């Protein structure tokens, strides 16, 4: 209607009124356009906020799933560690009990051997050369054991075979044959086993001493070597052995 009125005014020569009406038309159109633009902006802003809210919910849900997955993995790891430690503890316990059973059997065999020896010494029995040699070999090994366990000999890591032979009043061949016949090991292997056995007994009866101190007192100057040989001999580390001993 304003446009029609403006055209009429322009034909009538009333240009000033026509221009004034044109200004009103332009202002009205601008106002309408601004309203449409603002409405579109509001619509876009609303859509953006909705999409942002949905994206935040999805991101939070993904974070929750990630955190839940981490927790499940940690739970499984803890369960695995607990189960593994339990298996190791059970294994070490069985090894400890087996070692103690071997100690008991060894003590019983030692008592039986002493009883048989005392009985044989009280009776007059004919002895062959082989029997006499076997008896001498057992006596030589017993003297070797007594010598090693006396004084500070066991802790002397510098002690060699020549010193032992000189102290026992024998020779290399006799000592080697005797130890191998009685124990199945060489003299040096027998010495090492004896040192490990004494260290194990100290782990049982001397909780106030550190493992390193026990290793040094038994002739092992390098603790890592003691750990390695102890595990190789008994299938259990010194620390685990002491842990099982402390449970009694």
């Amino acid at each position: 209607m304003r446009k029609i009125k403006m055209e009429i005014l322009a034909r009538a020569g009333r240009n000033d009124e026509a221009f004034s009406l044109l200004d009103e038309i332009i202002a009205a159109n601008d106002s309408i356009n601004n309203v449409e633009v603002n409405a579109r902006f509001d619509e876009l802003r609303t859509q953006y906020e909705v999409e942002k809210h949905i994206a935040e919910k999805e991101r939070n849900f993904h974070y929750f799933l990630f955190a839940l997955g981490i927790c499940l993995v940690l739970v499984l790891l803890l369960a695995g560690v607990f189960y593994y430690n339990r298996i190791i503890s059970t294994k070490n316990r069985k090894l400890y009990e087996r070692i103690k059973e071997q100690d008991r059997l060894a003590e019983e065999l030692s008592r039986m051997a002493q009883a048989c020896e005392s009985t044989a010494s009280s009776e007059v029995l004919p002895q062959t050369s082989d029997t006499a040699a076997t008896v001498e070999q057992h006596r030589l090994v017993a003297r070797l054991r007594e010598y090693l366990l006396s004084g500070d000999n066991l802790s002397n890591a510098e002690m060699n075979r020549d010193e032992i032979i000189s102290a026992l009043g024998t020779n290399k061949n006799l000592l080697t044959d005797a130890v191998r016949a009685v124990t199945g090991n060489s003299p040096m292997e027998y010495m090492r086993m004896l040192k490990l056995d004494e260290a194990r007994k100290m782990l049982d009866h001397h909780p106030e001493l550190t493992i390193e101190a026990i290793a040094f007192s038994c002739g092992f100057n390098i603790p890592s070597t003691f750990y390695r040989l102890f595990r190789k001999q008994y299938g259990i580390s010194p620390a685990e052995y002491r842990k099982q001993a402390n449970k009694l």
Side-chain angles (χ1 to χ4, degrees), residues 135-149:
V135 172
E136 286 299 323
Q137 286 177 340
H138 279 81
R139 288 177 178 173
L140 182 57
V141 173
R143 288 168 54 202
L144 172 62
R145 177 184 178 87
E146 182 180 357
Y147 173 76
L148 292 175
L149 296 179

Side-chain angles (χ1 to χ4, degrees), residues 50-224:
V50 171
E51 292 178 353
K52 179 180 178 182
H53 180 68
I54 293 174
E56 288 180 352
K57 288 182 65 176
E58 291 180 352
R59 185 172 62 250
N60 292 335
F61 181 69
H62 291 159
Y63 286 160
F64 171 75
L65 290 179
F66 180 74
L68 182 61
I70 293 290
C71 292
L72 290 176
V73 171
L74 290 176
V75 169
L76 291 176
L77 287 176
L78 290 175
V81 171
F82 176 77
Y83 181 71
Y84 175 78
N85 288 336
R86 187 167 184 176
I87 291 177
I88 295 298
S89 179
T90 303
K91 176 186 175 182
N92 291 335
R93 187 64 183 174
K94 290 181 179 179
L95 286 172
Y96 181 81
E97 292 175 353
R98 185 184 305 170
I99 293 170
K100 286 302 178 181
E101 180 65 17
Q102 291 175 353
D103 287 346
R104 187 187 66 79
L105 293 176
E107 291 177 359
E108 185 175 347
L109 288 174
S110 178
R111 287 196 298 268
M112 292 175 62
Q114 291 177 359
C116 291
E117 185 177 354
S118 61
T119 302
S121 62
S122 62
E123 297 178 357
V124 179
L125 297 175
Q127 290 186 350
T128 63
S129 59
D130 291 340
T131 304
T134 301
V135 172
E136 286 299 323
Q137 286 177 340
H138 279 81
R139 288 177 178 173
L140 182 57
V141 173
R143 288 168 54 202
L144 172 62
R145 177 184 178 87
E146 182 180 357
Y147 173 76
L148 292 175
L149 296 179
S150 62
D152 297 329
N153 292 331
L154 197 66
S155 62
N156 184 9
E158 304 298 328
M159 183 174 57
N160 56 43
R161 183 181 299 181
D162 293 335
E163 294 179 8
I164 298 174
I165 291 172
S166 177
L168 297 179
T170 183
N171 60 63
K172 176 181 178 181
N173 293 332
L174 287 177
L175 181 63
T176 301
D177 293 341
V179 174
R180 193 171 294 280
V182 175
T183 67
N185 300 296
S186 67
M188 301 308 294
E189 291 173 342
Y190 176 71
M191 289 175 56
R192 185 172 64 246
M193 292 174 60
L194 191 62
K195 290 180 178 181
L196 291 172
D197 187 62
E198 287 299 310
R200 183 175 59 81
K201 292 178 180 178
M202 294 182 68
L203 288 172
D204 275 325
H205 304 296
H206 295 281
E208 74 280 1
L209 296 177
T210 64
I211 296 177
E212 288 75 14
I214 292 175
F216 288 133
S217 66
C218 292
F220 295 98
N221 291 335
I222 304 176
S224 60

Side-chain angles (χ1 to χ4, degrees), residues 88-89 92-93 96 211 227 230-231 236-247:
I88 295 298
S89 179
N92 291 335
R93 187 64 183 174
Y96 181 81
I211 296 177
Y227 273 84
F230 192 96
R231 180 180 286 278
I236 186 174
S237 68
E240 287 295 333
Y241 182 89
R242 167 168 278 181
K243 182 179 178 180
Q244 295 298 328
N246 291 336
K247 289 181 179 180

Side-chain angles (χ1 to χ4, degrees), residues 19-34:
F19 283 126
S20 178
L21 190 58
L22 178 62
D23 291 337
E24 292 181 5
I25 292 173
I26 293 173
N29 288 334
D30 289 342
S31 178
I32 293 172
N33 290 333
N34 289 336

